[in-house]
Amino acid sequence: MSFFRITLHRSAIGLPKRTRGVLAALGLHRRGQLVFHPVSAQFAGMIMKVKELVIVEEVDRALTKREVHDSRKPDPGFWLETARAVGLQQQQQQFQQQQQEEEVRL
Amino acid sequence: MFGPFRITNSLSGGLLWKIPWRLSPSQKFRQRKRLRAVDSVIATVTNALAKKGETLKSLDRWAAEMPTEAQMLPRDKYTMFDRKAKRYRKGIHKLPKWTRVSQRINPPGF
């Protein structure tokens, strides 16, 4: 299932009430806000109504609010060397190695 | 003619706003960019729906009626029809909210 990744690029100040209503229905309340909606005729029609104000991409998966927040975080510039963090890193590396091996097999 | 008490439009008439009759090159560049942005939104939505085998009346109408930025004449990108203007054209920047509304085609016969 694919999703529309919709960013409000231009403000709707001074535009008709209908246009602002469509934005509110899409869940866009401030400039730069990011929402995900499933690809369907209904949401496509809503995007058509505000096509001059938004940036739209098609993505495979809708990011959660937390993921969007994390993606906007700058690099902290440090990392923690706790036993738990090291364990997680090792797990990740193992997982990546497994995936690579599978790709090679395929 | 010169000096501090010369008669200028703003001195004799008070408030004076001057809106240039045509767009500057940078305004034209940004206008083209906005046209292309709308084209890309339309293309994305059309492709996404086509993958599901769906279509939409408003998308079909847009595809049938509206030219893309590359297909448009400079005349249509930067000016628009006006029945009161000399030679029936005025700068597109005279259109209220012109950076956030679509204005691409002319009335039949113009």
Side-chain angles (χ1 to χ4, degrees), chain A residues 27-47:
Chain A
L28 292 167
H29 297 281
R30 53 188 77 84
R31 256 201 68 199
Q33 201 177 354
L34 178 62
V35 291
F36 292 88
H37 286 298
V39 170
S40 70
Q42 186 193 349
F43 285 111
M46 284 159 81
I47 292 169

PDB file of all heavy atoms in Angstrom, chain A residues 27-47:
ATOM      1  N   GLY A  27      -5.342  17.686   7.161  1.00  0.00           N
ATOM      2  CA  GLY A  27      -4.563  17.706   8.402  1.00  0.00           C
ATOM      3  C   GLY A  27      -3.379  18.645   8.338  1.00  0.00           C
ATOM      4  O   GLY A  27      -2.436  18.502   9.105  1.00  0.00           O
ATOM      5  N   LEU A  28      -3.430  19.611   7.400  1.00  0.00           N
ATOM      6  CA  LEU A  28      -2.322  20.558   7.257  1.00  0.00           C
ATOM      7  C   LEU A  28      -2.720  21.887   7.881  1.00  0.00           C
ATOM      8  O   LEU A  28      -3.653  22.544   7.409  1.00  0.00           O
ATOM      9  CB  LEU A  28      -1.985  20.748   5.772  1.00  0.00           C
ATOM     10  CG  LEU A  28      -1.386  19.530   5.091  1.00  0.00           C
ATOM     11  CD1 LEU A  28      -1.384  19.707   3.594  1.00  0.00           C
ATOM     12  CD2 LEU A  28       0.022  19.277   5.588  1.00  0.00           C
ATOM     13  N   HIS A  29      -2.039  22.260   8.933  1.00  0.00           N
ATOM     14  CA  HIS A  29      -2.415  23.481   9.652  1.00  0.00           C
ATOM     15  C   HIS A  29      -1.330  24.550   9.623  1.00  0.00           C
ATOM     16  O   HIS A  29      -1.611  25.710   9.855  1.00  0.00           O
ATOM     17  CB  HIS A  29      -2.759  23.144  11.102  1.00  0.00           C
ATOM     18  CG  HIS A  29      -3.946  22.230  11.190  1.00  0.00           C
ATOM     19  ND1 HIS A  29      -5.236  22.694  11.048  1.00  0.00           N
ATOM     20  CD2 HIS A  29      -4.042  20.900  11.356  1.00  0.00           C
ATOM     21  CE1 HIS A  29      -6.068  21.672  11.147  1.00  0.00           C
ATOM     22  NE2 HIS A  29      -5.367  20.571  11.328  1.00  0.00           N
ATOM     23  N   ARG A  30      -0.094  24.155   9.381  1.00  0.00           N
ATOM     24  CA  ARG A  30       0.962  25.161   9.325  1.00  0.00           C
ATOM     25  C   ARG A  30       1.944  24.813   8.215  1.00  0.00           C
ATOM     26  O   ARG A  30       2.064  23.655   7.805  1.00  0.00           O
ATOM     27  CB  ARG A  30       1.681  25.272  10.658  1.00  0.00           C
ATOM     28  CG  ARG A  30       2.192  23.988  11.211  1.00  0.00           C
ATOM     29  CD  ARG A  30       2.712  24.166  12.596  1.00  0.00           C
ATOM     30  NE  ARG A  30       1.647  24.265  13.567  1.00  0.00           N
ATOM     31  CZ  ARG A  30       1.032  23.212  14.121  1.00  0.00           C
ATOM     32  NH1 ARG A  30       1.392  22.012  13.783  1.00  0.00           N
ATOM     33  NH2 ARG A  30       0.079  23.374  14.986  1.00  0.00           N
ATOM     34  N   ARG A  31       2.641  25.857   7.747  1.00  0.00           N
ATOM     35  CA  ARG A  31       3.578  25.679   6.628  1.00  0.00           C
ATOM     36  C   ARG A  31       4.694  24.733   7.022  1.00  0.00           C
ATOM     37  O   ARG A  31       5.180  24.781   8.146  1.00  0.00           O
ATOM     38  CB  ARG A  31       4.191  27.029   6.245  1.00  0.00           C
ATOM     39  CG  ARG A  31       3.616  27.610   4.993  1.00  0.00           C
ATOM     40  CD  ARG A  31       4.593  28.604   4.430  1.00  0.00           C
ATOM     41  NE  ARG A  31       5.770  27.901   3.950  1.00  0.00           N
ATOM     42  CZ  ARG A  31       6.942  28.491   3.732  1.00  0.00           C
ATOM     43  NH1 ARG A  31       7.089  29.758   3.941  1.00  0.00           N
ATOM     44  NH2 ARG A  31       7.959  27.784   3.287  1.00  0.00           N
ATOM     45  N   GLY A  32       5.096  23.862   6.096  1.00  0.00           N
ATOM     46  CA  GLY A  32       6.177  22.931   6.354  1.00  0.00           C
ATOM     47  C   GLY A  32       5.705  21.659   7.018  1.00  0.00           C
ATOM     48  O   GLY A  32       6.501  20.755   7.228  1.00  0.00           O
ATOM     49  N   GLN A  33       4.412  21.600   7.339  1.00  0.00           N
ATOM     50  CA  GLN A  33       3.877  20.397   7.996  1.00  0.00           C
ATOM     51  C   GLN A  33       3.831  19.232   7.010  1.00  0.00           C
ATOM     52  O   GLN A  33       3.640  19.425   5.810  1.00  0.00           O
ATOM     53  CB  GLN A  33       2.485  20.698   8.532  1.00  0.00           C
ATOM     54  CG  GLN A  33       2.058  19.745   9.617  1.00  0.00           C
ATOM     55  CD  GLN A  33       0.695  20.111  10.168  1.00  0.00           C
ATOM     56  OE1 GLN A  33       0.121  21.127   9.821  1.00  0.00           O
ATOM     57  NE2 GLN A  33       0.177  19.267  11.020  1.00  0.00           N
ATOM     58  N   LEU A  34       4.028  18.042   7.542  1.00  0.00           N
ATOM     59  CA  LEU A  34       4.115  16.843   6.708  1.00  0.00           C
ATOM     60  C   LEU A  34       3.033  15.861   7.130  1.00  0.00           C
ATOM     61  O   LEU A  34       2.907  15.563   8.305  1.00  0.00           O
ATOM     62  CB  LEU A  34       5.504  16.225   6.888  1.00  0.00           C
ATOM     63  CG  LEU A  34       5.831  14.943   6.152  1.00  0.00           C
ATOM     64  CD1 LEU A  34       5.765  15.183   4.668  1.00  0.00           C
ATOM     65  CD2 LEU A  34       7.206  14.476   6.562  1.00  0.00           C
ATOM     66  N   VAL A  35       2.219  15.374   6.172  1.00  0.00           N
ATOM     67  CA  VAL A  35       1.220  14.352   6.487  1.00  0.00           C
ATOM     68  C   VAL A  35       1.299  13.235   5.449  1.00  0.00           C
ATOM     69  O   VAL A  35       1.798  13.429   4.341  1.00  0.00           O
ATOM     70  CB  VAL A  35      -0.224  14.921   6.523  1.00  0.00           C
ATOM     71  CG1 VAL A  35      -0.410  15.845   7.691  1.00  0.00           C
ATOM     72  CG2 VAL A  35      -0.587  15.583   5.225  1.00  0.00           C
ATOM     73  N   PHE A  36       0.804  12.083   5.842  1.00  0.00           N
ATOM     74  CA  PHE A  36       0.748  10.930   4.930  1.00  0.00           C
ATOM     75  C   PHE A  36      -0.701  10.505   4.774  1.00  0.00           C
ATOM     76  O   PHE A  36      -1.436  10.423   5.758  1.00  0.00           O
ATOM     77  CB  PHE A  36       1.565   9.767   5.501  1.00  0.00           C
ATOM     78  CG  PHE A  36       3.030  10.041   5.529  1.00  0.00           C
ATOM     79  CD1 PHE A  36       3.607  10.670   6.609  1.00  0.00           C
ATOM     80  CD2 PHE A  36       3.828   9.692   4.453  1.00  0.00           C
ATOM     81  CE1 PHE A  36       4.959  10.937   6.635  1.00  0.00           C
ATOM     82  CE2 PHE A  36       5.188   9.951   4.477  1.00  0.00           C
ATOM     83  CZ  PHE A  36       5.741  10.571   5.570  1.00  0.00           C
ATOM     84  N   HIS A  37      -1.109  10.235   3.545  1.00  0.00           N
ATOM     85  CA  HIS A  37      -2.465   9.738   3.298  1.00  0.00           C
ATOM     86  C   HIS A  37      -2.384   8.618   2.263  1.00  0.00           C
ATOM     87  O   HIS A  37      -1.578   8.713   1.342  1.00  0.00           O
ATOM     88  CB  HIS A  37      -3.376  10.860   2.785  1.00  0.00           C
ATOM     89  CG  HIS A  37      -3.771  11.828   3.857  1.00  0.00           C
ATOM     90  ND1 HIS A  37      -4.494  11.453   4.962  1.00  0.00           N
ATOM     91  CD2 HIS A  37      -3.523  13.148   4.008  1.00  0.00           C
ATOM     92  CE1 HIS A  37      -4.681  12.509   5.728  1.00  0.00           C
ATOM     93  NE2 HIS A  37      -4.098  13.554   5.187  1.00  0.00           N
ATOM     94  N   PRO A  38      -3.216   7.594   2.402  1.00  0.00           N
ATOM     95  CA  PRO A  38      -3.167   6.493   1.426  1.00  0.00           C
ATOM     96  C   PRO A  38      -3.523   6.985   0.024  1.00  0.00           C
ATOM     97  O   PRO A  38      -4.300   7.925  -0.134  1.00  0.00           O
ATOM     98  CB  PRO A  38      -4.213   5.509   1.950  1.00  0.00           C
ATOM     99  CG  PRO A  38      -5.022   6.259   2.922  1.00  0.00           C
ATOM    100  CD  PRO A  38      -4.152   7.335   3.486  1.00  0.00           C
ATOM    101  N   VAL A  39      -2.925   6.335  -0.977  1.00  0.00           N
ATOM    102  CA  VAL A  39      -3.218   6.696  -2.362  1.00  0.00           C
ATOM    103  C   VAL A  39      -4.630   6.228  -2.696  1.00  0.00           C
ATOM    104  O   VAL A  39      -4.911   5.032  -2.712  1.00  0.00           O
ATOM    105  CB  VAL A  39      -2.200   6.041  -3.322  1.00  0.00           C
ATOM    106  CG1 VAL A  39      -2.648   6.213  -4.754  1.00  0.00           C
ATOM    107  CG2 VAL A  39      -0.832   6.646  -3.126  1.00  0.00           C
ATOM    108  N   SER A  40      -5.526   7.173  -2.885  1.00  0.00           N
ATOM    109  CA  SER A  40      -6.895   6.848  -3.268  1.00  0.00           C
ATOM    110  C   SER A  40      -7.462   8.043  -4.005  1.00  0.00           C
ATOM    111  O   SER A  40      -6.935   9.156  -3.927  1.00  0.00           O
ATOM    112  CB  SER A  40      -7.742   6.534  -2.036  1.00  0.00           C
ATOM    113  OG  SER A  40      -7.950   7.712  -1.299  1.00  0.00           O
ATOM    114  N   ALA A  41      -8.553   7.814  -4.740  1.00  0.00           N
ATOM    115  CA  ALA A  41      -9.153   8.882  -5.540  1.00  0.00           C
ATOM    116  C   ALA A  41      -9.600  10.036  -4.645  1.00  0.00           C
ATOM    117  O   ALA A  41      -9.517  11.205  -5.024  1.00  0.00           O
ATOM    118  CB  ALA A  41     -10.329   8.326  -6.329  1.00  0.00           C
ATOM    119  N   GLN A  42     -10.059   9.673  -3.453  1.00  0.00           N
ATOM    120  CA  GLN A  42     -10.544  10.721  -2.541  1.00  0.00           C
ATOM    121  C   GLN A  42      -9.435  11.713  -2.185  1.00  0.00           C
ATOM    122  O   GLN A  42      -9.611  12.932  -2.316  1.00  0.00           O
ATOM    123  CB  GLN A  42     -11.082  10.050  -1.284  1.00  0.00           C
ATOM    124  CG  GLN A  42     -11.741  11.007  -0.332  1.00  0.00           C
ATOM    125  CD  GLN A  42     -11.972  10.373   1.029  1.00  0.00           C
ATOM    126  OE1 GLN A  42     -11.830   9.166   1.193  1.00  0.00           O
ATOM    127  NE2 GLN A  42     -12.319  11.188   1.987  1.00  0.00           N
ATOM    128  N   PHE A  43      -8.275  11.191  -1.771  1.00  0.00           N
ATOM    129  CA  PHE A  43      -7.185  12.083  -1.376  1.00  0.00           C
ATOM    130  C   PHE A  43      -6.572  12.748  -2.600  1.00  0.00           C
ATOM    131  O   PHE A  43      -6.106  13.891  -2.526  1.00  0.00           O
ATOM    132  CB  PHE A  43      -6.140  11.321  -0.569  1.00  0.00           C
ATOM    133  CG  PHE A  43      -6.607  11.028   0.831  1.00  0.00           C
ATOM    134  CD1 PHE A  43      -6.893   9.741   1.235  1.00  0.00           C
ATOM    135  CD2 PHE A  43      -6.803  12.065   1.736  1.00  0.00           C
ATOM    136  CE1 PHE A  43      -7.331   9.486   2.516  1.00  0.00           C
ATOM    137  CE2 PHE A  43      -7.255  11.812   3.017  1.00  0.00           C
ATOM    138  CZ  PHE A  43      -7.514  10.527   3.404  1.00  0.00           C
ATOM    139  N   ALA A  44      -6.600  12.053  -3.737  1.00  0.00           N
ATOM    140  CA  ALA A  44      -6.084  12.670  -4.963  1.00  0.00           C
ATOM    141  C   ALA A  44      -6.907  13.908  -5.307  1.00  0.00           C
ATOM    142  O   ALA A  44      -6.366  14.949  -5.685  1.00  0.00           O
ATOM    143  CB  ALA A  44      -6.125  11.663  -6.103  1.00  0.00           C
ATOM    144  N   GLY A  45      -8.231  13.803  -5.156  1.00  0.00           N
ATOM    145  CA  GLY A  45      -9.089  14.954  -5.435  1.00  0.00           C
ATOM    146  C   GLY A  45      -8.818  16.102  -4.486  1.00  0.00           C
ATOM    147  O   GLY A  45      -8.816  17.272  -4.893  1.00  0.00           O
ATOM    148  N   MET A  46      -8.544  15.772  -3.222  1.00  0.00           N
ATOM    149  CA  MET A  46      -8.240  16.834  -2.261  1.00  0.00           C
ATOM    150  C   MET A  46      -6.920  17.510  -2.598  1.00  0.00           C
ATOM    151  O   MET A  46      -6.780  18.734  -2.495  1.00  0.00           O
ATOM    152  CB  MET A  46      -8.207  16.247  -0.842  1.00  0.00           C
ATOM    153  CG  MET A  46      -9.585  15.972  -0.289  1.00  0.00           C
ATOM    154  SD  MET A  46      -9.567  14.792   1.050  1.00  0.00           S
ATOM    155  CE  MET A  46      -9.101  15.812   2.409  1.00  0.00           C
ATOM    156  N   ILE A  47      -5.941  16.700  -3.035  1.00  0.00           N
ATOM    157  CA  ILE A  47      -4.656  17.293  -3.425  1.00  0.00           C
ATOM    158  C   ILE A  47      -4.842  18.199  -4.639  1.00  0.00           C
ATOM    159  O   ILE A  47      -4.252  19.266  -4.729  1.00  0.00           O
ATOM    160  CB  ILE A  47      -3.632  16.177  -3.722  1.00  0.00           C
ATOM    161  CG1 ILE A  47      -3.279  15.443  -2.436  1.00  0.00           C
ATOM    162  CG2 ILE A  47      -2.379  16.744  -4.357  1.00  0.00           C
ATOM    163  CD1 ILE A  47      -2.487  14.185  -2.643  1.00  0.00           C
TER     164      ILE A  47
END
